[in-house]
Amino acid sequence: MSSAAGGKATSIPLMGRDDEPTIFELSEPGRVAASFRDQGLPEWTAEELLPDWALADESVHLTEVSERDLVAHFTRLSHRQYSVDLGAYPLGSCTMKYNPKLCDEAAALPGLANVHPSAPASCTQGWLELLADLGDALCEVTGMAAITLQPPAGAAGELTGLLLMRAWHEAQGRQRTKVIIPDSAHGTNPASVTLGGYQTVTVPSDDRGLVDLEALRTVLDDDVAGIMLTNPNTLGLFEEDIADIAAAVHGVGGLLYYDGANLNAILGVTRPGDMGFDIVHMNLHKTFAVPHGGGGPGAGPVAVSERLAPFLPGPIPERRDDGGFGWMTPERSIGRVHGWHGNALALARAWSYILVNGGDGLRRVAEGAVLNANWVRHQLRGHYDIPFDRPNMHECVVSATNVRKRVGVKAIDVAKRLLEEGFHSPTTYFPLIVDEALMIEPTETESPQTLAALCEALIRIADDASDADHDAPRTTPVGRVDEARAARRLIPTWDARQEA
Amino acid sequence: MSSAAGGKATSIPLMGRDDEPTIFELSEPGRVAASFRDQGLPEWTAEELLPDWALADESVHLTEVSERDLVAHFTRLSHRQYSVDLGAYPLGSCTMKYNPKLCDEAAALPGLANVHPSAPASCTQGWLELLADLGDALCEVTGMAAITLQPPAGAAGELTGLLLMRAWHEAQGRQRTKVIIPDSAHGTNPASVTLGGYQTVTVPSDDRGLVDLEALRTVLDDDVAGIMLTNPNTLGLFEEDIADIAAAVHGVGGLLYYDGANLNAILGVTRPGDMGFDIVHMNLHKTFAVPHGGGGPGAGPVAVSERLAPFLPGPIPERRDDGGFGWMTPERSIGRVHGWHGNALALARAWSYILVNGGDGLRRVAEGAVLNANWVRHQLRGHYDIPFDRPNMHECVVSATNVRKRVGVKAIDVAKRLLEEGFHSPTTYFPLIVDEALMIEPTETESPQTLAALCEALIRIADDASDADHDAPRTTPVGRVDEARAARRLIPTWDARQEA
Amino acid sequence: MGHYVPHTDDEIATMLASIGLSSLDELFDVVPDALRLAAGLDMAPGLSEYDTADEMVRLADRNRTDLVCFAGGGAYDHDVPSAVRRVAFRTEFVTAYTPYQPEVAQGVLQALFEYQTLVARLAGVEVANASLYDGATACVEAVNLAVAATGRQTVWVSGGVHDTWRDTVRTFAAGTGHELVDVPLVDGRTSWPADGAPGAILLQHPNKLGCIEDLAEARAVADRTGALLLVAFDPVASGLLRTPGSLGADVVVGEGQPFGTPLSFGGPYLGLFTCRLEHVRRLPGRLVGETVDVADRRAYVTTLRTREQDIRREKASSNVCTNQTLIAVVCAIQLSWLGTAGLRELALRCARATRATHDAVLGIDGVTPMATAPYFREFGINLPLEPGVVVERMAEEGFLAGVPTDGGLVVAATERRTAAQIDAYADALRKVLS
Amino acid sequence: MGHYVPHTDDEIATMLASIGLSSLDELFDVVPDALRLAAGLDMAPGLSEYDTADEMVRLADRNRTDLVCFAGGGAYDHDVPSAVRRVAFRTEFVTAYTPYQPEVAQGVLQALFEYQTLVARLAGVEVANASLYDGATACVEAVNLAVAATGRQTVWVSGGVHDTWRDTVRTFAAGTGHELVDVPLVDGRTSWPADGAPGAILLQHPNKLGCIEDLAEARAVADRTGALLLVAFDPVASGLLRTPGSLGADVVVGEGQPFGTPLSFGGPYLGLFTCRLEHVRRLPGRLVGETVDVADRRAYVTTLRTREQDIRREKASSNVCTNQTLIAVVCAIQLSWLGTAGLRELALRCARATRATHDAVLGIDGVTPMATAPYFREFGINLPLEPGVVVERMAEEGFLAGVPTDGGLVVAATERRTAAQIDAYADALRKVLS
Ligand SMILES: Cc1ncc(COP(=O)(O)O)c(C=O)c1O
Ligand SMILES: Cc1ncc(COP(=O)(O)O)c(C=O)c1O
């Protein structure tokens, strides 16, 4: 292997120390960037067009900057920001893989971007065909029968799924109150359960890091609406007993919900539908190369088994016998979960990603992701604790407990030190059942060289850990940030700061 | 005025100190980024298609990287690069103004970018109309009669102009051997003179910093083919005697060549044609918002007066009576100066810039450029020597002689210190007639706040100058670079380095 | 083709060996045989980048983008300057994750801080979050906040709220058990019930017929009933109209698409969520705050995290995690580009084009207004033909005629619409109706 | 409209006052009245960004981009991957100037260093400069270098060099006074004169008819006559053919457009200039070299500057200043994306498509080959009709048929051409000729 690591952002350690003024500080009375096209209309005044009582006395103050200063300001801000295109981002559970540039261009096609969502089907056949094709592909990948593409993110998909669960149970004429989630679940799961109108019942993990089947059986009764699982779970471990779990839950008339955040691990290998899941959400921004955009937008389609199809949100694109496409709304639909058709351009990105990879390529994705994560676990052995040291899938969770015990350096210090080494940090303190957790998901797009450099850095950090690490990071645009003060002395806007 | 300066790249120190490995170090045997479309053709082997004697024994070794590593490498390199969009770039003679983003998008239009240059006029009417419109506009701006858009840069324009001069004199049945340039001329002028087959005769500047009219008269004789001038000249001063100069040169049958590098200063104010110039080149990458691209590409159209039109390079776009457009080649054309039609997409950018500004906007450009440069000169007075302290046009040339005498800090040290302050450096040691020259061209797109911050920085540097400045810059991706060693121990390629 | 998995066969072999395996399949030994997808996915093999692009272009070309757009209903056809596109989609913004590590995320964090400031000003309240999914789901969160704040389950929802937004609120109410009461429009304005004790009253301003609501009256109703006043506003209207906050709204939500985001077939759009400071601890989603770093340098960070699902779990104020940050950045840049004067000009030009369109079409036989109340940037008309049919026929004429609702058609015109287009639209409509 | 001059009226007044002026006009007092443009420019007033964009689109739409391209002649219709576009046009590369201050220009400098390495490898010689304008002007510089090196004014120029490139060489020879001798092609190969003492011999490989030249023979001619061997090569050919350097070329120039640059109506393209190390001090244009900074860190800088016009002035090796750096960066990224295997594959696919096209059209009545010598990626055909007429008629059929030369038509096919397009092309040509 060559010495250099492709995924190490060797330029990161010097991201600007100088802070960048806010756009408000750059603002100067009378400065203008905006220009407008010639409409050729009468220049009616506001007073001629609108009633006095409705008109503001003075216009809202925004900014006053030139296009030149505007462009420079945000360009400089971009230089104070880490990103996948600068280096590796082994942020567990987030699947920060490299997203092919072709997907950016696909989503920017005028023929997709310049279409009004209310335009009649006769004028949007291309969009409808795209959405129908994507839906079919996602059903094939998950082994489900029908799908809604409306949910704009994973959490929205979860809540949509829980409302489907509720509608289904009601259709069976029963009221159920509980939804089971494992103690390793992501926070959105319990939060969604509450919004779905259910109580959360937590089932512990056993010493394998998997759902404790016995413990599960004890909480299963006919008041259980269903269970929410990720598989592989948030420890990166495959729930080997999933078939028994499914049988048990179905046994009491409950439904299985699949949180698809970790779908990247099993593409083309196994399918939630085959495992017995009834409802599945996918995070297209994790598995299907929708870039994260600094926190969003994403897309969280929800696929379901045959029996739940009649309850899906509508409208849903459907193939007509004449080869054309139209919209249809399932007869017992729970209603819409988005103002329009979901994050359409993100869906288009995902479709281009599926086309370029194909069935064969998707399986390669899973293989690469799982290979990388297992290799990392092997490297870190002996330097970090590995609470569940068994074959993992797309991510591995290690613990800095030994380091903390030895020199008082915690997971957060390790994370900040890694920033100095030119990598983004792993996810820390999640899942909650592992203390000093470092959740590492290399993804399939990082090369062995990058993984080697990442592991070397992590090992060096553990082995050389010292008090000084509490001062890390020292080479980033700003040093360690005072989060407590931000909450204590809340400054949510520039105006609040002016008053403060 | 608000405190913050829009054009100060306060984030400049962010650019990585760590060096970025070369793409060759990132290369790994067997790694592939490329993919090709499905052609549906027989998969003939090279041996089936080409004669053995022509085939290479082994393929040329390039690189072997993944798309992910490729993107990250060049993205990180971009973080080690200063640019106009990061901050002010007061690089005299280069007119580093902000270039409207709309011009980028205009030049990227598929209808312009995906046209083969040999396509017949019947298929390229849009391009021909654009070039004809641009040519007309540039003739209006310069006050000339006809134009060639072929020259790809200023120097190419110069040489084209000199060949036109030569052709014209020959058409008059005379051989002339000398071309006059002022001692303040840019290096491309004398270099072009030589390639044009003439000898350079240098005329000194007088104590006003202008062409010494008397000295000029003494060198004028019937062996003089012409004179090359910039106006304003490279000191940023307007050649007030231009009318007399023109009369004198024309008096001996010589021609006047206008180096348009400084055209930004006089847009809509005065025109080379009206001053008596016969041949004019423009640097569209200076005046008409073609971005410099790290050193090019540019465009250097050459406009001429009526009598020189018959000699222009061809083909030239022309309006047909039927409203259509075609190509024509002047009867006594010197021949082509570019393989096709010049840097066409750069020409399209310039046209969009002219459209958006219009005649009124172009005059504003000149006003802003001249106002900014004069304001800067006034600010720096007393801190730097100002050899020719009189109203200047778009740029002002100051000298660090006083600073050098005081503390031994030279113009280059001032330049390097300014980099630490988050600005690009002015042009240094040019024009040659000013020692320790710092040539400052703020351009019209920088705001008063930016100019103030720039001047404050320059003044601080001069006033606080000390030995330590020889170590500047200290906050940039690399420290002061050893240029001597580069020449002494030449490493022009990665392969040379491997051998070295 | 898996172009994006870089590993060479040699590397795969080496890595497998170093973890004690001899084949890629063995990586999945933990998956019970019964669950293995023996035959692989039933999907076409991967294409080259170029063949993929060709297919995407084929699909894109099957959409009518030639239609001159007079449709609104929450999605507006505004111009977007090149500078905004170019800067907002820089890869550092596009490929970053949620700013969990503020030391290397100041770019996104500061952009969001500026976004929050700008949006809070548009709404006229003190706090804005870092974005929600879209206008419809922002209404859902507003209702949830209000019910939690007042402890009252009943919510009055004005019939002036976009149909699809109301549907969305209703869908999620099934989970939370909120009781939604529909309040009708009378001549284009919400006419509130005389009595009742709702936890919140929700109206849209200007509403789905384009009409300007009487927010002062709504405030009075809220005061009388002890409800929170929730306003779904059109942020462009703040260029001319009084802000909802200045008229007493407690929570102001809206759709941010008009600022820099193309029509995009409906998404990704931008859920604006703002409220009075007193409700900040119930704020859904992420909030960026200013603070300092160890060296006392100004810095930004996501704050009041204890509201959020990853910490508060089942007691979280909302389940939102991934939001629409990139679109918020676009919005911040677009608002900065418009600036104070530009926003006003934008609003004025939309109002002018709408007035011109209104006057042109109301001269047509059989076309009558759905309401007489003053409108801002869209207006409703009743037609002698079924609106859906009119939309189809108008498409043949090259126009997207409007958005059908309540048996009529709502017509919108933005700053992009010219006098010539408006005349052509009226002519086409006259032709279609005759 | 001058949108891009930020100054407010107040600022202008303040600035004028501080420099002792009271109006903008006074800034130009140094310009004699007689020379002032009293009436201002006779040009339309400025447009908004959007009206400008509309006009550019109107012009763009008047070009036929639907034509399936079988034209080459130095400009080839290759695929460009999105990654190359996205990265190469990052604003740091686009809006940077010449790297005069290496401490803040390592991005461009290192990209050029990588470019020089890649291009030197393609040519098979030790040195490549940082780019020239295009292939034609690169030939001019090659001739200038050779004449300076040998002190001989006579240059033999093969008739196989693209017509426009030869015209360009001839244009500039008028200034330098070089004597150019045209050397004819015989059955597609240059047939060199028996005797003479040129300073250089210049040929193209493969030549304008697509034929592969005998470089070994050319080297022998150069040795015999004491001339330098100048080769204008197609860099794509180096994916399969021996490099000119490996066959003894002294200077290798070419057109870099095939690597990442769209057809662009002919520019900006990329002049490749490479030579043997012994000629490096006569190298035209800029050269980047590796060195170190004060702290002994690896760094890059433009070097051997004493060759250049700004220092050597009238004695400079060339007058080139601004070059095509951005296109060189594009080229470096595209070559890195292709990689070793990809370049070979690219060349092979061009050769296959060209062979398929050749076989398809030579079956047509009246179509005969212009030469029987082996060809690589284009080939010449004689037609029963005037080639210009055929090109026009083929355009009506949806094809750009080729580039006319020497009474015939040169037809090229790249990796973008499919079997279906090639068959359709042959059918159309048959139709046009019948
Ligand atoms: C395991 C898991 N479940 C659910 C989610 C929520 O998905 P989203 O952020 O798209 O709402 C995440 C996101 O981080 C996750 O990691
Ligand atoms: C005064 C002057 N003349 C000529 C030139 C040469 O123009 P170009 O670099 O476009 O060849 C320049 C460029 O810097 C210049 O400043």
Side-chain angles (χ1 to χ4, degrees), chain D residues 275-294:
Chain D
C275 66
R276 300 201 171 287
L277 188 56
E278 61 190 287
H279 300 300
V280 71
R281 281 169 200 287
R282 290 208 167 82
L283 193 73
R286 301 178 184 132
L287 179 68
V288 173
E290 183 190 311
T291 181
V292 296
D293 76 351
V294 278

Side-chain angles (χ1 to χ4, degrees), chain B residues 110-126:
Chain B
L112 295 177
N114 299 338
V115 181
H116 194 283
S118 80
S122 60
C123 302
T124 58
Q125 287 292 297

Side-chain angles (χ1 to χ4, degrees), chain D residues 242-328:
Chain D
R242 297 174 193 278
T243 63
S246 70
L247 291 164
D250 295 293
V251 179
V252 181
V253 297
E255 176 50 67
Q257 176 271 335
F259 298 127
T261 294
L263 290 165
S264 314
F265 203 51
Y269 280 5
L270 175 63
L272 307 176
F273 193 100
T274 71
C275 66
R276 300 201 171 287
L277 188 56
E278 61 190 287
H279 300 300
V280 71
R281 281 169 200 287
R282 290 208 167 82
L283 193 73
R286 301 178 184 132
L287 179 68
V288 173
E290 183 190 311
T291 181
V292 296
D293 76 351
V294 278
D296 210 40
R297 283 183 301 234
R298 198 196 291 181
Y300 304 90
V301 66
T302 53
T303 190
L304 298 189
R305 302 266 291 104
T306 51
R307 297 165 297 113
E308 291 187 59
Q309 43 73 27
D310 55 331
I311 294 175
R312 190 58 84 65
R313 304 184 68 88
E314 56 265 53
K315 299 196 184 47
S317 62
S318 157
N319 69 332
V320 172
C321 180
T322 290
N323 57 17
Q324 308 280 114
T325 296
L326 185 61
I327 315 300

Side-chain angles (χ1 to χ4, degrees), chain C residues 70 73 82 115 119-120 124 165 192 221 228 244 252 297 359 382 397:
Chain C
F70 284 83
S82 48
Y115 162 83
V119 171
W165 295 20
W192 302 103
V221 173
L228 290 194
V252 181
R297 284 183 300 235
D359 296 355
N382 295 308
E397 304 295 323

Side-chain angles (χ1 to χ4, degrees), chain B residues 66-88:
Chain B
S66 65
E67 180 175 306
R68 185 268 182 286
D69 287 352
L70 174 89
V71 166
H73 172 67
F74 287 102
T75 303
R76 290 192 298 261
L77 281 186
S78 74
H79 276 233
R80 291 163 65 79
Q81 178 63 50
Y82 195 90
S83 65
V84 170
D85 282 6
L86 280 168

Side-chain angles (χ1 to χ4, degrees), chain A residues 92-94 152-156 158 185-186 188-189 230 234 259 261-262 281 283 285-286 298-299 430, chain C residues 97 100 133 286 319-323:
Chain A
S93 212
C94 303
E158 292 171 27
H186 187 266
T188 50
N189 292 181
T230 65
T234 62
D259 174 337
N262 299 339
H281 94 251
N283 303 66
H285 44 298
K286 296 170 191 242
F430 176 66
Chain C
Y97 195 65
Y100 286 145
Y133 306 131
R286 300 177 185 134
N319 69 331
V320 171
C321 178
T322 289
N323 57 18

Side-chain angles (χ1 to χ4, degrees), chain D residues 353-401:
Chain D
T354 303
R355 165 63 60 87
T357 310
H358 177 272
D359 296 355
V361 300
L362 278 161
I364 300 171
D365 285 357
V367 176
T368 60
M370 291 175 77
T372 63
Y375 57 87
F376 166 56
R377 62 135 84 204
E378 52 200 324
F379 60 92
I381 52 176
N382 295 308
L383 299 157
L385 281 176
E386 202 275 297
V389 175
V390 173
V391 170
E392 291 288 354
R393 299 246 180 98
M394 285 293 281
E396 290 159 21
E397 303 296 323
F399 297 93
L400 185 58

Side-chain angles (χ1 to χ4, degrees), chain D residues 16-147:
Chain D
L16 283 171
S18 76
I19 59 174
L21 301 181
S22 57
S23 80
L24 288 168
D25 285 352
E26 288 172 31
L27 289 170
F28 302 100
D29 282 351
V30 290
V31 180
D33 285 348
L35 303 183
R36 299 279 194 95
L37 198 59
L41 291 169
D42 178 13
M43 287 171 64
L47 303 175
S48 73
E49 161 164 357
Y50 309 110
D51 293 303
T52 303
D54 287 352
E55 168 62 6
M56 295 303 291
V57 168
R58 184 189 68 80
L59 291 166
D61 289 349
R62 295 195 58 208
N63 297 316
R64 297 263 323 257
T65 49
D66 60 310
L67 300 177
V68 180
C69 183
F70 284 83
Y76 301 94
D77 182 31
H78 293 290
D79 273 316
V80 180
S82 48
V84 172
R85 262 190 301 274
R86 296 259 144 185
V87 177
F89 294 119
R90 283 180 56 82
T91 204
E92 296 88 341
F93 294 131
V94 172
T95 71
Y97 195 64
T98 306
Y100 286 145
Q101 298 293 340
E103 296 83 2
V104 293
Q106 289 298 301
V108 164
L109 286 164
Q110 183 171 335
L112 286 173
F113 181 77
E114 295 175 358
Y115 162 82
Q116 291 174 179
T117 302
L118 292 162
V119 170
R121 287 179 181 180
L122 290 174
V125 294
E126 299 98 326
V127 185
N129 79 357
S131 82
L132 291 173
Y133 306 132
D134 71 346
T137 51
C139 290
V140 174
E141 297 284 358
V143 166
N144 292 349
L145 181 151
V147 168

